[in-house]
Amino acid sequence: MSKLKVIFMGTPEFAVPGLAALADKTEVVCAVTQPDRPKGRGHKLQPPPVKVFAESLKIPVIQPEKVKVPEVVEKLAAFKPDLITVIAFGQILSQEILDIPKFGCINVHASLLPKYRGAAPIERCLIDGEKITGITTMQMNAGLDTGDMLLKSEVQISENMILPELREKLMTAGADLLLKTIYLLEHGELNPIKQDDSKSTYAPMLDKETGHINWTDPAEKIHNLVRGLYGGAYTFAAGEKFKIWRTKILEKNSSAVPGEISVRDKKLTVGTGDGLLEILEIQAPGSKKLAAGDFLRGHSIEKSFE
């Protein structure tokens, strides 16, 4: 049996294991990814991880600002792919693109659909305190993560798991599930299942305000926010912004004042609306991320976070 001709669409590091798996088992005729973007203090253009990996394998790369434009659609059609696979690409595909490959387009989505459709399923499931998430492969349609489900793989979430740890598990699970899906596709053994829209939830894109900690929230809710954003959660003290990287729930029921800071046994603790939270890693303005003990040795601390 000749190898499937596949166009791969993806952008971040999360998509690279999927591309690597495909390159081993199929003929990847093209990788489509986002344009290079300026990053860092120097605002130098940086290529997306998928581009870097694809070029290392001598796979042709296309980087359209808009994948829907006619000239890009024509370019994709010229490859005459059997299949298009999509992992965290970052653009919505038009019906014209969906209709190009013989076997359609398969998306690897980082949730157990129909829960957490949308742009930020990994972060949102942690923020919501979910105990289980996973990967779903899906036959794409013109909707937002609404296509028929193909296969699923569950991943357990522990109480203190942080975003990079969960992302790593899902990256691996996604690559494995994609290969299983393609194997069943080639053997005519896939059984698509329609999503139940009544059970769907949405995982919208994150913004800066998402990470602003409200200390009147329960300790568990704040802890979930911190681990779900990992470096994106923040608070203020005396008008200065502090990033909170890691926390630990000390007490789920406490009479501590929300936002009130205390240092006990060299531990940095903060009161919440319900419970006491220990800060394990914190970053002061203009400084680097520090373990709380190191932070306390080098910084004075206000009496409360705002």
Side-chain angles (χ1 to χ4, degrees):
M1 183 184 293
S2 60
K3 288 185 174 182
L4 282 180
K5 292 175 65 177
V6 178
I7 289 176
F8 180 83
M9 296 185 176
T11 300
E13 190 69 33
F14 184 83
V16 170
L19 175 55
L22 282 176
D24 186 50
K25 299 294 183 181
T26 71
E27 181 187 353
V28 182
V29 294
C30 174
V32 185
T33 189
Q34 299 274 31
D36 297 359
R37 305 290 188 197
K39 286 185 179 179
R41 291 184 179 178
H43 297 287
K44 291 184 179 179
L45 286 177
Q46 297 290 326
V50 161
K51 177 184 179 180
V52 174
F53 186 76
E55 289 184 337
S56 75
L57 299 181
K58 305 294 190 292
I59 295 171
V61 175
I62 298 174
Q63 294 179 272
E65 282 287 352
K66 294 184 179 180
V67 75
K68 297 179 180 181
V69 298
E71 55 267 33
V72 176
V73 176
E74 288 176 18
K75 200 176 284 188
L76 297 177
F79 285 103
K80 297 182 179 178
D82 298 309
L83 180 70
I84 291 176
T85 60
V86 181
I87 305 178
F89 174 44
Q91 296 187 40
I92 295 174
L93 307 191
S94 64
Q95 190 62 50
E96 287 79 10
I97 294 173
L98 297 175
D99 291 339
I100 288 172
K102 177 170 62 176
F103 294 116
C105 302
I106 291 177
N107 177 240
V108 177
H109 186 73
S111 79
L112 298 174
L113 291 171
K115 294 186 72 175
Y116 296 102
R117 296 172 176 172
I122 307 176
E123 294 89 344
R124 294 288 180 182
C125 76
L126 284 170
I127 291 170
D128 290 349
E130 297 282 0
K131 307 300 183 193
I132 298 174
T133 187
I135 295 288
T136 306
T137 51
M138 171 190 68
Q139 192 78 49
M140 295 178 71
N141 61 18
L144 181 62
D145 301 325
T146 56
D148 291 351
M149 299 177 294
L150 302 173
L151 295 179
K152 288 186 179 183
S153 175
E154 290 188 352
V155 171
Q156 302 292 320
I157 303 175
S158 60
E159 182 181 2
N160 293 308
M161 182 179 283
I162 56 175
L163 179 62
E165 295 168 347
L166 179 57
R167 187 183 285 130
E168 187 74 26
K169 284 181 175 289
L170 290 170
M171 283 167 61
T172 303
D176 291 344
L177 198 66
L178 178 58
L179 287 188
K180 289 178 184 176
T181 303
I182 288 176
Y183 176 85
L184 294 177
L185 172 71
E186 289 181 299
H187 289 79
E189 296 176 10
L190 282 176
N191 296 301
I193 300 171
K194 289 194 177 300
Q195 295 189 44
D196 184 347
D197 290 342
S198 69
K199 295 181 180 178
S200 70
T201 59
Y202 182 57
M205 193 173 292
L206 305 165
D207 57 31
K208 287 185 179 179
E209 192 55 34
T210 306
H212 193 174
I213 296 171
N214 180 356
W215 294 103
T216 62
D217 284 337
E220 187 172 10
K221 183 174 181 179
I222 296 171
H223 176 63
N224 289 337
L225 178 71
V226 170
R227 66 197 186 102
L229 297 181
Y230 193 64
Y234 62 91
T235 186
F236 293 92
E240 292 193 305
K241 183 178 180 179
F242 291 79
K243 290 184 177 181
I244 309 298
W245 285 77
R246 292 186 80 155
T247 55
K248 177 183 177 182
I249 300 172
L250 290 183
E251 301 173 21
K252 289 193 177 180
N253 295 291
S254 169
S255 59
V257 177
E260 186 175 69
I261 299 167
S262 61
V263 179
R264 54 169 81 172
D265 301 324
K266 298 181 181 179
K267 292 181 179 179
L268 178 60
T269 65
V270 188
T272 73
D274 184 9
L276 195 63
L277 205 62
E278 179 184 355
I279 294 179
L280 302 179
E281 293 178 350
I282 184 171
Q283 183 176 358
S287 181
K288 62 182 180 180
K289 175 181 65 173
L290 295 171
D294 295 331
F295 173 84
L296 290 170
R297 281 192 288 273
H299 296 79
S300 59
I301 192 72
E302 297 293 322
K303 291 183 178 180
S304 64
F305 286 128
E306 302 160 8

